[in-house]
Amino acid sequence: MFGKEIGIDLGTANTVVYLKGKGIIIREPSVVAVDTRNDTVKSIGNEAKDVIGRTPGTITTVKPLKDGVIADFDVTCSMLQELMRRAVNFSALSKPRVVICIPSGVTPVEKRAVREATEKAGAKQVLIVEEPMAAAIGAGLPVSEPTGSMVVDIGGGTTEVAVLSLGGLVSSQSIKIGGDKLDTSIIEYIKIKYNILIGDRTAEQIKMEIGNVCDTIDAPETYTITGRNLVSGLPESLTIRSEEVREALIDPAKEIIEAIRTTMEQTPPELAADIIDQGIMLTGGGALLRGMDVLISEATGIHVLIADEPLDCVAKGTGMILENITQFSAIASGQNQQY
């Protein structure tokens, strides 16, 4: 009935594509460069990200997803269409079946937008799965068994916290805190303390090089950046210390911990006991931030595990659903309602 089957982790920061039988084949930033003169797409992914902040007035770079949901429908369609075309050549007679993920806290309207964008991009059938479920499956948690599992997926736009058992979400929280918010916190900190303005790419580089949220973690001590002095308007170099970055990042990190506590409070005691025994699984790009696992463990008293290849857990989860569609049919079909 179907040509190819693909799984898509449609993320605020990155979009990852899984092709059934081959694994993850595409990993691109969720960025599109658009020519404003005729509203045509010039480039997507890494090629578009490389020109952020460096484009002429006729070309603008767009991040079509914000806080885990579609902010620009047409650009999202164009991006999905190009990624699906790269993944598999398809025609009107052999369109692919697609499993695509959404945050657990989206509204029915936002869910419908994801479905319609994927169908417009060329999908024959769209199965929608909630991100924490896909992340847990990709991380190897026993989601179908009658035991409690907790996953914390820190993505680019949202953090998904969920307790799962018997193939469903028992309790969950979706907060608009992720990699983008961490970058913004660094930008604001440097702006207020040093009167220097830096861009998103520089903030992300600081986070990756010396970012940390726990003072017991060893991190490179300094990192030199260049920004624009807001008083003189001229470029200026600055050497920032790791403890300053920690100070900038600690507040959004505490919001993630609060979401974990709230989810635990809503969890039945028997499942909470399972989580204490098995620990909390950390996935997503935020899992790679130095000290995040230690900070969560110290705050909750529960052991925290970082998944293998945390950036790919959601995409791997969609792939495992495709590879074992009979086993996970309830999970996929349960999210495949028509609105």
Side-chain angles (χ1 to χ4, degrees), residues 224-253:
T224 301
I225 57 172
T226 301
R228 176 165 56 86
N229 189 298
L230 292 172
V231 177
S232 67
L234 299 174
E236 183 176 324
S237 293
L238 168 70
T239 298
I240 188 168
R241 303 190 309 276
S242 61
E243 54 264 33
E244 293 178 293
V245 182
R246 182 166 61 248
E247 188 178 337
L249 297 178
I250 195 65
D251 284 344

Side-chain angles (χ1 to χ4, degrees), residues 25-39:
I25 58 171
I26 296 173
R27 187 185 291 100
E28 294 275 4
S30 301
V31 183
V32 180
V34 178
D35 190 328
T36 57
R37 292 170 296 186
N38 49 19
D39 285 334

Side-chain angles (χ1 to χ4, degrees), residues 138-157:
L141 295 178
V143 298
S144 299
E145 297 179 12
T147 181
S149 301
M150 176 175 260
V151 63
V152 179
D153 181 53
I154 308 174

Side-chain angles (χ1 to χ4, degrees), residues 34 72 104 138 181 196 226 240 290:
V34 178
D72 190 317
S104 60
K181 177 68 173 179
I196 291 177
T226 301
I240 188 168
R290 294 180 185 87

Side-chain angles (χ1 to χ4, degrees), residues 55-78:
T55 57
T58 56
I59 296 177
T60 181
T61 52
V62 179
K63 292 184 176 181
L65 291 110
K66 182 174 177 58
D67 298 331
V69 297
I70 294 175
D72 190 317
F73 184 84
D74 291 334
V75 174
T76 301
C77 290
S78 297

